[in-house]
Amino acid sequence: MHLNTLKSYTLSLLLAVLFCSSSLQNIYTLNNWKLVVDPEKKAVSLYRDRLPILENIQVAYKLNDDTISSNQYQIDRVICEKQSISIVYRSVIYPELIQHFYFQKGKDYVLTDFILQSKQLLKSNYMAPIVVALNSKIGFSDNQRALFVPFDNDKWVRFQSYPLNFKKLTSYEVTAIFDNSTRHGLVIGSVDHSIWKSAVEMTSANQQITTLNCFGGIADEMTRDSKPHGLIQGNLIRSPKIFVGRFNDWRTGLECFADANASIAPPRSWNKAVPFGWNSWGVLQFKLNYSKAMEVSDFFKNNLQNNHFLNADHTVYIGLDSGWNSFTEEQLKDFVNRCKSNGQEAGVYWTPFADWGKNPDRTLSDAPQYTYKDVYLYANGKPQDLDGAYALDPTHPAVKAQMIKTAELFHRCGFSYVKMDFMTHGSLEADHWYDAKINTGIQAYNYGMKLLDDYFGDLFINLSISPIFPSQYAQSRRIACDAWNKIKDTEYTMNAVSYGWWIDRVYSFNDADHVVLQQATDGENRARVTSSVITGLFINGDDFSADGSKEGKEKALKYLTNSDVNAVAQGESFRPLEGDGEKSENQFVHTDKVGNVYYAIFNYSDKPLTLMLPIKRIGLKSNQLRYVKELWSGKSIDVKTSLSVDPKDVKLIKFSGK
């Protein structure tokens, strides 16, 4: 061996010893993590600071129609490197399997995945880096919960925190298993959204999780699919990369999960303030026309922008939703110019992956060499109908042609904000795609979203109906489905914030949808505005045209102009105080950049709610109790007396030390 090669080899061994030590008991340590490899069970146990994270982890995958587990292999060797540990499995009949654990110093989590490699072509649509049978509680008390996270926000789907009394629960992309009393929790989920749709399947019995399986390859009703997940293929195929962490606070764990995703696929940048504004779909909907849009712009200029309803950039966004195509191009330009002269930015709307005409023989106006039947995403030989529209293939050149033409129109007119809707259509599994290199729905979705970024990349992109992940193509995403004016709409929006507030770490902002004030009580108005202020974007949807509701205009002047409330709207979602709500949480907290603490408590019911302020649970310090103010009323609050919240209403309280 050459002397320099020998020196390099010796140094590599020395580094391995420094960073990863082992014993005859197959124990491997790296920083404050420990892996115990069991050659008999063909399983790995993961510990941090001597606390068990997951024990007896195996991996599994499908090859053809067979499900194969790592316990059908022999462990060949363990490879220790500076920031990772790999276990190599061998078999005489199955492809080589290499399981990886990736560590980052100072992090409360580890990432794990595995690869299969063979000289023969491999095809799989199921790869599970985490397969665990849990025979005991994971160190928590009897108040354990498991979190359901939906794949997208379509069809009024809801997040949910479940007690451990379910037979089976499937959560999409991520879950948290936690004790609501102590807040200790385990967070597991995928940080890889380039190829796979991932899920966490759990079973429970006697208030315990009995099995846990985190895998890539989910395709079911909740992902809006009608056929199995596409096949990943090659001589080397890789599972999704999975985040596993144990945290003193499950809420911190989900925020760390979001940050881990954001470090891999950074959120689309935005260096301006959170958008305040208006969207026509709230009340006007298909009654939108040119004159009404101009009147709305003027109403904001003359009544709201001069009365505290504008963001830190002194800007308001006036958005045309579905129905804008009744305008001529000259009218669109006039509208944009009116907005600009009123100190506003103009927004518009589009659905890039959906055909509402559903006429297969119709010619695409922007790509006349094709008919729509050439562009549909087929499943089992049929066009896929979702939400009343046929899904389009994001990889088809006709979709690209439509993007180019539409982007050119929006740019010619001067729009700076675009709401993209019904995006899930582009993520559906299909019989095939135009681009033969595409094998899965998420691959196709990424393909289409990259095109979208190419042609609309200088606009603020707000996703409406869409998957949570991938998230790097838009500045904001609506956190729930359509929400309107009643307390049920507020509760539904806050359900998504209750268990999905962390999503604003993979987007710049969450979007609470259009705030409508007309035909609701004053308490419902306060609750609905608060739900937007503590979620992210602050977008109203009333009809402020000349013929619009007098009630809506009067309430806008009353409820959109509270300077104290509006100052809270910094684009950051509040955390839930608890995690064991029957449907949603009703208490939310947030600390701003200068140390002020905000506490919002909703009363979704038709009965009064009375309680003592949960000072300790919020985590307040004595100096933060010097000035306590309820922002809607402007009145000081005595923290030693009980707090009452009227039916279908809210209190928004600020704690300040100065």
Side-chain angles (χ1 to χ4, degrees):
M1 182 180 291
H2 191 278
L3 180 60
N4 289 336
T5 304
L6 177 63
K7 288 180 179 178
S8 178
Y9 177 72
T10 304
L11 178 60
S12 297
L13 287 178
L14 178 60
L15 287 173
V17 171
L18 287 174
F19 287 96
C20 181
S21 61
S22 68
S23 70
L24 296 177
Q25 287 77 39
N26 299 314
I27 299 173
Y28 301 85
T29 60
L30 189 61
N31 301 324
N32 55 344
W33 292 89
K34 180 173 71 173
L35 280 180
V36 178
V37 180
D38 189 328
E40 292 185 6
K41 293 181 179 179
K42 304 6 174 323
V44 177
S45 295
L46 180 65
Y47 300 83
R48 185 172 186 267
D49 296 327
R50 299 184 179 181
L51 289 174
I53 308 300
L54 284 176
E55 296 182 301
N56 297 320
I57 303 168
Q58 297 181 345
V59 305
Y61 63 91
K62 285 185 179 179
L63 209 57
N64 300 319
D65 294 325
D66 298 325
T67 300
I68 301 159
S69 171
S70 54
N71 64 12
Q72 295 170 257
Y73 282 76
Q74 296 297 320
I75 294 179
D76 182 71
R77 65 188 186 278
V78 177
I79 302 171
C80 294
E81 297 180 316
K82 185 174 181 180
Q83 293 296 122
S84 67
I85 298 174
S86 302
I87 301 97
V88 181
Y89 297 80
R90 297 283 188 189
S91 168
V92 295
I93 57 175
Y94 299 125
E96 184 181 60
L97 189 161
I98 305 177
Q99 181 184 24
H100 305 288
F101 290 88
Y102 308 94
F103 303 88
Q104 297 182 59
K105 190 172 182 180
K107 299 294 186 182
D108 293 325
Y109 63 85
V110 62
L111 301 177
T112 182
D113 65 9
F114 72 95
I115 63 170
L116 299 172
Q117 53 188 9
S118 172
K119 294 180 180 179
Q120 298 178 338
L121 182 67
L122 302 172
K123 296 182 180 181
S124 180
N125 67 352
Y126 172 87
M127 297 182 76
I130 300 285
V131 179
V132 177
L134 298 169
N135 299 316
S136 63
K137 294 181 182 179
I138 52 177
F140 305 149
S141 73
D142 290 334
N143 193 9
Q144 292 188 70
R145 318 286 293 193
L147 189 63
F148 167 76
V149 176
F151 173 76
D152 66 8
N153 55 347
D154 202 2
K155 299 180 184 293
W156 287 273
V157 66
R158 299 177 71 94
F159 292 72
Q160 190 64 58
S161 170
Y162 286 98
L164 302 190
N165 56 10
F166 51 83
K167 290 184 178 179
K168 182 180 178 181
L169 176 65
T170 301
S171 183
Y172 295 80
E173 303 297 344
V174 65
T175 191
I177 304 165
F178 61 95
D179 178 338
N180 189 63
S181 299
T182 65
R183 292 189 174 133
H184 295 170
L186 183 71
V187 176
I188 299 175
S190 173
V191 295
D192 179 1
H193 312 288
S194 57
I195 296 174
W196 296 98
K197 294 173 185 169
S198 299
V200 185
E201 286 185 349
M202 297 162 277
T203 60
S204 72
N206 301 319
Q207 298 300 309
Q208 299 175 20
I209 296 289
T210 51
T211 64
L212 187 149
N213 177 10
C214 187
F215 67 97
I218 188 73
D220 60 11
E221 182 181 5
M222 295 303 298
T223 62
R224 319 304 169 189
D225 286 307
S226 56
K227 67 174 300 169
H229 195 284
L231 289 165
I232 312 302
Q233 49 189 304
N235 297 112
L236 186 153
I237 58 176
R238 184 181 297 272
S239 76
K241 190 168 288 185
I242 303 303
F243 171 109
V244 181
R246 187 187 183 104
F247 299 87
N248 290 331
D249 189 325
W250 65 278
R251 302 172 303 171
T252 302
L254 282 167
E255 290 165 358
C256 285
F257 168 75
D259 290 344
N261 277 275
S263 69
I264 293 170
R268 199 161 180 266
S269 63
W270 182 248
N271 57 9
K272 299 180 183 178
V274 56
F276 281 40
W278 177 84
N279 181 269
S280 63
W281 195 248
V283 173
L284 276 173
Q285 299 191 13
F286 288 124
K287 296 177 184 177
L288 173 69
N289 60 39
Y290 170 71
S291 61
K292 289 181 181 294
M294 302 290 266
E295 290 163 1
V296 168
S297 175
D298 290 342
F299 181 87
F300 271 84
K301 169 67 174 178
N302 298 326
N303 297 278
L304 297 178
Q305 287 166 238
N306 56 0
N307 204 1
H308 307 297
F309 187 82
L310 72 173
N311 68 12
D313 294 334
H314 303 284
T315 301
V316 165
Y317 294 78
I318 306 296
L320 307 179
D321 207 282
S322 186
W324 63 265
N325 52 358
S326 66
F327 294 32
T328 67
E329 182 170 334
E330 288 308 309
Q331 287 177 328
L332 290 173
K333 291 177 178 177
D334 286 346
F335 167 73
V336 172
N337 289 332
R338 176 68 64 88
C339 288
K340 289 181 178 178
S341 67
N342 284 339
Q344 303 156 356
E345 297 289 337
V348 69
Y349 173 93
W350 195 41
T351 59
F353 305 136
D355 170 40
W356 301 95
K358 296 169 66 172
N359 180 354
D361 295 319
R362 195 167 94 257
T363 299
L364 281 81
S365 59
D366 294 330
Q369 66 271 41
Y370 298 107
T371 60
Y372 273 93
K373 64 185 176 186
D374 300 322
V375 192
Y376 291 150
L377 273 181
Y378 293 89
N380 306 310
K382 298 179 181 179
Q384 300 193 63
D385 191 345
L386 178 61
D387 299 325
Y390 284 164
L392 301 181
D393 178 355
T395 76
H396 198 283
V399 170
K400 178 178 179 180
Q402 287 186 317
M403 284 190 186
I404 292 172
K405 294 292 186 181
T406 304
E408 287 174 349
L409 172 64
F410 290 174
H411 283 104
R412 284 198 308 272
C413 293
F415 289 102
S416 59
Y417 177 111
V418 59
K419 175 181 173 182
M420 298 286 187
D421 205 355
F422 297 97
M423 308 304 286
T424 301
H425 286 67
S427 70
L428 300 178
E429 302 301 324
D431 295 338
H432 58 82
W433 288 267
Y434 182 88
D435 188 328
K437 296 188 295 295
I438 299 297
N439 296 300
T440 75
I442 286 298
Q443 280 183 310
Y445 185 73
N446 275 283
Y447 184 105
M449 295 302 285
K450 287 174 183 174
L451 287 177
L452 206 71
D453 185 59
D454 287 342
Y455 300 115
F456 298 86
D458 58 337
L459 306 181
F460 183 101
I461 296 179
N462 176 34
L463 301 183
S464 191
I465 296 294
S466 65
I468 296 175
F469 295 107
S471 56
Q472 65 267 32
Y473 303 106
Q475 280 93 353
S476 65
R477 174 184 174 273
R478 196 165 71 190
I479 199 166
C481 197
D482 288 334
W484 312 97
N485 57 345
K486 300 294 187 180
I487 197 67
K488 65 179 179 63
D489 299 292
T490 292
E491 184 274 331
Y492 172 63
T493 295
M494 297 316 299
N495 164 268
V497 180
S498 296
Y499 311 116
W501 81 96
W502 49 269
I503 296 170
D504 73 354
R505 290 171 175 256
V506 294
Y507 296 88
S508 294
F509 310 107
N510 288 326
D511 176 6
D513 205 27
H514 30 59
V515 172
V516 174
L517 301 173
Q518 69 175 52
Q519 299 178 10
T521 66
D522 288 345
E524 287 176 311
N525 292 160
R526 284 187 289 267
R528 187 68 184 100
V529 169
T530 302
S531 71
S532 188
V533 163
I534 72 171
T535 296
L537 304 193
F538 191 5
I539 306 296
N540 179 263
D542 283 279
D543 179 2
F544 298 129
S545 67
D547 295 331
S549 164
K550 179 181 178 183
E551 178 197 14
K553 295 172 186 175
E554 290 176 346
K555 288 194 165 186
L557 291 171
K558 185 175 182 180
Y559 292 112
L560 299 182
T561 59
N562 184 312
S563 60
D564 285 342
V565 171
N566 291 357
V568 179
Q570 297 299 312
E572 298 181 11
S573 292
F574 282 32
R575 267 182 167 189
L577 188 65
E578 306 294 348
D580 60 352
E582 183 177 346
K583 292 180 67 177
S584 304
E585 303 307 323
N586 72 329
Q587 301 177 77
F588 299 86
V589 295
H590 177 67
T591 302
D592 68 17
K593 292 179 174 61
V594 297
N596 298 311
V597 176
Y598 297 91
Y599 168 70
I601 177 165
F602 294 87
N603 183 358
Y604 306 127
S605 76
D606 55 6
K607 297 179 181 179
L609 173 65
T610 302
L611 77 163
M612 295 299 296
L613 281 170
I615 300 299
K616 185 176 180 180
R617 193 68 167 162
I618 295 173
L620 289 163
K621 300 176 183 178
S622 58
N623 70 317
Q624 293 171 318
L625 304 178
R626 294 176 60 191
Y627 302 99
V628 184
K629 181 181 179 182
E630 201 288 310
L631 300 183
W632 279 111
S633 65
K635 295 180 180 179
S636 297
I637 297 290
D638 184 351
V639 298
K640 297 179 181 179
T641 62
S642 61
L643 178 71
S644 180
V645 187
D646 290 338
K648 301 180 182 180
D649 208 335
V650 70
K651 297 288 186 186
L652 180 57
I653 297 172
K654 178 180 180 180
F655 299 89
S656 176
K658 56 182 179 180

